[in-house]
Amino acid sequence: MHTYHVKELLDKGKEAISQEVTVQGWVRSFRSNRFIALNDGSTIKNIQVVVDFENFDADLLKKINTAASLKIQGEVIESQGSGQEIEVVAKEIIILGEANPDDVQETILQPKQHSLEKLREQAHLRFRTNTFASVMRVRNTLMFGVHKYFNEKGFVYVNTPIITGSDAEGAGEMFTVTNFDLDKTPKNEEGKVDYEQDFFGKHTNLTVSGQLEGEVAAMGLGKIYTFGPTFRAENSNTTRHLAEFWMIEPEMAFYDLDMNMDLAEDLLKYVIKYAVDNCADDLQFLAERFDKEQTQKPQNERSELTLMERLDYILNNEFIRLTYTEAIDILKNSNHNKKGKFTYKIEDWGADLQSEHERYLVEKHFKTPVILFDYPTEIKSFYMRLNDDGKTVRAMDILFPGIGEIVGGSQREERLDILDQKIERFGIDKEELWWYRDTRRFGTVPHSGFGLGLERLVLFVTGMGNIRDVIPFPRTPKNAEF
Amino acid sequence: MHTYHVKELLDKGKEAISQEVTVQGWVRSFRSNRFIALNDGSTIKNIQVVVDFENFDADLLKKINTAASLKIQGEVIESQGSGQEIEVVAKEIIILGEANPDDVQETILQPKQHSLEKLREQAHLRFRTNTFASVMRVRNTLMFGVHKYFNEKGFVYVNTPIITGSDAEGAGEMFTVTNFDLDKTPKNEEGKVDYEQDFFGKHTNLTVSGQLEGEVAAMGLGKIYTFGPTFRAENSNTTRHLAEFWMIEPEMAFYDLDMNMDLAEDLLKYVIKYAVDNCADDLQFLAERFDKEQTQKPQNERSELTLMERLDYILNNEFIRLTYTEAIDILKNSNHNKKGKFTYKIEDWGADLQSEHERYLVEKHFKTPVILFDYPTEIKSFYMRLNDDGKTVRAMDILFPGIGEIVGGSQREERLDILDQKIERFGIDKEELWWYRDTRRFGTVPHSGFGLGLERLVLFVTGMGNIRDVIPFPRTPKNAEF
């Protein structure tokens, strides 16, 4: 007798009729002492198991409660009810694990709607809920899509270090990694902590980006990408920030900024299409959830598009590309700006764009994803390539509706003399970047790269509103449970 | 004019003859002022560029030094020499980046053999060497093979947390993660460090394993795997240990130990075959390197098999499965043991197997990969399922020739009462594992999983001898450079 995952069996459909099968899973519901909805995590759909109570012991039937786990042997028949093609008539039922209804009442496993916040408190159990399991399967598909895309394009997946002695990128506050007992840190002659005695012989941090190491790898392997966890010790309690999140960072030798923008747009379209093609059931469920949520919002906060329309829109339209300078003109001359509706009014060229400005451009003005490029030198990182105008750099950000910045990248400064000027101007320790500078000394080449935040991508595709609901175990200020 | 990666162009072969093409890359050598060997990282092979010096400026030719980067436009012709099918006759040469020969002399980019140790000191440049670039491409292919395998089998890739407040697994010394300025750690009333004021409100570590969180995810999603960095703060300066390394950890609901062993063996064969099929050029190069290295060893230390034979052997033979008890019998009665050739003589059942014993079984006795299972309870972790004999657990380790343990796994203890006894006996804080125990309270199911160390797999497939040579930026005691 073949043991099927629920998805396998449902995919077989009517072909499976008359087969004797084994299915296993958790009880989602047991209706009328007759219909078990069984789910094993392989799909959002349940397999319906029909129980003729006369054939089973009453004690056994009493244990078929929500959240209990069962092994069922039975025959596949054409479903008598609507909603499913096939169902299984139980011949044998084995209770693998009970679930005491009184205990279940205290958890999110009880069959009623729960707030996402409540689900987060029981992050260990939320894998068994429809919403979170769907999000996890979509996340999985997006991740595999990313690997598949880069593999097909000849990129080498490179694991840049998580623990780093380098803090030159200056992308934000970093966590310290240490092997010291903090109650007994050794001190040096000056009375300061003596990091020479620490595990790595110096002060080390958790990485905020694999970019600099990724560039170095691309200078030998040609086209590489990193895909791993990155960290920010920022005390931000928002729906958009995590202390630990996953980043995808490709770096390509012989790529200029245009090629970089082409690649980023192509990647985003590829992986979104890959999810649409491979997560139909989960996305349908999440789309219904999203669309229903919209109807509960005030008219002016509602998304104009349904979730599936939003995804289709990305796939079928070219992203608008415009310079920072053009964007500032649009923003400055907008009624929104003139009427003082921005918290930060746009006055002059050189202003750093806030999230409100980015979203205005994407959601109100263009109503489509936008790639902004050629930003002022002063508001971007030291490693971005200086334009001939001497005041802008070859940076680019991709802005998505509802999300804001989803990709940030640039052509990298490959000219050692200009890089050194920037390093000095930005007050960065040149010595510490000896290895990064070396790649500009020995056969430097034009090259580019970008960073794509995985969780922001998952937010966009699933329509979820809080970044804590798209990662298994969110790490935020005062929260490292599980 | 089409721009080709070197691999693309070489793969086209004679089909490309007469085409005008652009190729870019780094100079590996410039022979007789006429033949440039150009490499762009896409393959171990170089494209030969033929330069007629009469057509180019002498100043330009002087800049074509080893490690310089070039953009070449030219025509593809059938190669006049041996060793390659096609070559490019240069019509235009653009020097993208120079490389001063005097400076290059001080680096590993100079064209001569370097020790692997020397390469490690210049880890930022070793991506441009044949050996390391090949290892990185093989590593990439193995990683993609892992993702592809699990994707095809319906596993969900789950990112378990890197920063964790849980240290219950007890797999080794852990690094502390903190946001404190260590020179000014706040103290509580008892004069101890007040972790409540730290970023996460408690003491946090870098994960040593995603297993416990992975189990929790499998209890909802069915079959999951993690694939990410893990950490050990162990002061081990060996060729087998890293402080930061990558682990693959699948966890499967409804899997017993036999299914677990089947999966692990199947996975290993799949990814090794995937590398053999997709990295032919790199593996050929690495095999020559390995086989040459063997000839320089004393007779009794040499591998009996060439690298490719070793890989083929894995693919074409079933792993031998035997219990710990059977293994102890073999070891105890071996001449090796009787003659006192083990550092740790095997006397009694219950002894923990050392690397020397594992390697004896694999390399001397069976001469094939071995899966040992049903280990004594006392030498294995608390979460492993107790056998009916009351003294062994459903653990399994896969041992590979030349590597030792490459996989460690078990069926997990799904019975809450027995799990609780083990937690108590192992002196673990039960409260801290409330979420792990919860999955045994609500519909517990038989389940299994294992861990596969990526770097050990790469070592085995590439034939490299030191784990620091199979990861881009190794993290070891007193070393967190780059």
Side-chain angles (χ1 to χ4, degrees), chain A residues 201-235:
Chain A
K202 62 175 171 180
H203 184 251
T204 50
N205 313 296
L206 288 179
T207 184
V208 292
S209 161
Q211 181 199 315
L212 302 191
E213 290 90 352
E215 277 187 57
V216 160
M219 295 303 96
L221 296 168
K223 295 189 293 189
I224 68 96
Y225 70 108
T226 75
F227 191 164
T230 46
F231 306 86
R232 295 277 191 292
E234 271 164 38
N235 204 358

Side-chain angles (χ1 to χ4, degrees), chain B residues 292-350:
Chain B
K292 192 172 146 201
E293 198 180 58
Q294 295 303 311
T295 63
Q296 291 156 0
K297 288 185 175 176
Q299 192 78 42
N300 64 342
E301 289 178 21
R302 285 182 203 172
S303 169
E304 285 180 28
L305 302 178
T306 67
L307 183 64
M308 295 312 294
E309 283 170 349
R310 209 167 75 168
L311 299 181
D312 282 341
Y313 192 88
I314 298 282
L315 300 182
N316 299 321
N317 289 279
E318 286 198 8
F319 299 0
I320 286 181
R321 300 181 187 191
L322 76 163
T323 64
Y324 165 89
T325 303
E326 290 165 328
I328 283 288
D329 279 346
I330 291 170
L331 289 168
K332 196 171 167 182
N333 297 321
S334 68
N335 281 329
H336 215 79
N337 196 49
K338 289 175 183 163
K339 289 185 182 163
K341 286 190 182 168
F342 287 130
T343 309
Y344 297 90
K345 192 174 182 185
I346 296 289
E347 308 270 13
D348 300 307
W349 190 93

Side-chain angles (χ1 to χ4, degrees), chain A residues 26 69 98 124 128 139-140 157 159 162-163 176 178 183 193 198-199 244 438 442-444 475 478, chain B residues 26 69 98 124 128 139-140 157 159 162-163 176 178 183 193 198-199 244 438 442-444 475 478:
Chain A
W26 292 273
S69 48
E98 299 181 34
H124 61 307
R128 281 211 234 164
R139 180 183 167 110
N140 165 64
Y157 180 25
N159 304 119
I162 308 301
I163 301 173
T176 292
T178 176
D183 279 314
V193 171
D198 206 351
F199 189 91
E244 174 180 319
D438 254 11
F442 303 111
T444 190
R475 295 297 179 240
K478 304 297 171 201
Chain B
W26 291 273
S69 48
E98 299 181 34
H124 62 306
R128 282 211 233 164
R139 181 183 166 108
N140 166 65
Y157 179 25
N159 303 119
I162 308 301
I163 300 173
T176 291
T178 176
D183 279 314
V193 171
D198 206 352
F199 189 90
E244 174 181 320
D438 255 10
F442 304 111
T444 191
R475 295 295 179 243
K478 303 297 170 200

Side-chain angles (χ1 to χ4, degrees), chain A residues 66-68 99-111, chain B residues 441-442:
Chain A
T66 296
N100 182 327
D102 293 339
D103 293 345
V104 169
Q105 275 307 312
E106 291 163 26
T107 74
I108 58 170
L109 298 175
Q110 60 182 320
Chain B
R441 291 173 63 209
F442 304 111

Side-chain angles (χ1 to χ4, degrees), chain A residues 5 24-26 40-42 67-69 96-99 103-104 107 109 121 124-125 127-128 133 136-137 139-140 143-144 147-148 151 155-166 174-180 182-183 185 191-193 195-202 204 206 213 216-223 227-229 231-235 243-244 246 253-254 274 434-435 438-439 441-446 454 472-473 475-482, chain B residues 5 24-26 40-42 67-69 96-99 103-104 107 109 121 124-125 127-128 133 136-137 139-140 143-144 147-148 151 155-166 173-180 182-183 191-193 195-202 204 206 213 216-223 227-229 231-235 243-244 246 253-254 274 434-435 438-439 441-446 454 472-473 475-482:
Chain A
H5 289 294
Q24 303 171 102
W26 292 273
D40 67 356
S42 61
S69 48
L96 295 173
E98 299 181 34
D103 293 345
V104 169
T107 74
L109 298 175
E121 287 166 15
H124 61 307
L125 298 178
F127 295 100
R128 281 211 234 164
M136 284 297 101
R137 285 187 295 260
R139 180 183 167 110
N140 165 64
M143 289 196 281
F144 187 71
H147 285 300
K148 192 166 182 299
N151 184 64
F155 281 67
V156 179
Y157 180 25
V158 168
N159 304 119
T160 48
I162 308 301
I163 301 173
T164 169
S166 155
M174 299 172 95
F175 289 105
T176 292
V177 174
T178 176
N179 197 27
F180 286 145
L182 297 196
D183 279 314
T185 47
K192 297 272 189 184
V193 171
Y195 288 108
E196 281 184 29
Q197 294 184 49
D198 206 351
F199 189 91
F200 294 108
K202 62 175 171 180
T204 50
L206 288 179
E213 290 90 352
V216 160
M219 295 303 96
L221 296 168
K223 295 189 293 189
F227 191 164
F231 306 86
R232 295 277 191 292
E234 271 164 38
N235 204 358
E244 174 180 319
W246 284 63
F254 312 111
Y274 190 76
W434 67 275
W435 49 277
D438 254 11
T439 54
R441 290 173 63 209
F442 303 111
T444 190
V445 301
L454 173 68
F473 301 95
R475 295 297 179 240
T476 52
K478 304 297 171 201
N479 177 30
E481 192 64 53
F482 310 107
Chain B
H5 287 295
Q24 303 171 99
W26 291 273
D40 67 358
S42 60
S69 48
L96 295 173
E98 299 181 34
D103 293 345
V104 169
T107 74
L109 299 173
E121 287 166 15
H124 62 306
L125 298 178
F127 295 100
R128 282 211 233 164
M136 283 297 102
R137 284 186 295 260
R139 181 183 166 108
N140 166 65
M143 288 195 283
F144 187 70
H147 285 300
K148 191 165 183 298
N151 184 64
F155 282 67
V156 178
Y157 179 25
V158 169
N159 303 119
T160 48
I162 308 301
I163 300 173
T164 169
S166 155
E173 283 189 72
M174 299 173 93
F175 289 106
T176 291
V177 174
T178 176
N179 197 27
F180 287 145
L182 297 196
D183 279 314
K192 297 273 189 184
V193 171
Y195 289 107
E196 282 185 27
Q197 294 185 49
D198 206 352
F199 189 90
F200 295 107
K202 62 175 170 179
T204 51
L206 288 179
E213 291 91 351
V216 160
M219 294 302 95
L221 297 168
K223 296 189 293 187
F227 190 164
F231 306 86
R232 294 278 190 293
E234 271 163 38
N235 202 358
E244 174 181 320
W246 284 63
F254 313 110
Y274 191 75
W434 68 275
W435 49 276
D438 255 10
T439 54
R441 291 173 63 209
F442 304 111
T444 191
V445 301
L454 173 67
F473 301 96
R475 295 295 179 243
T476 53
K478 303 297 170 200
N479 176 30
E481 192 66 54
F482 311 108

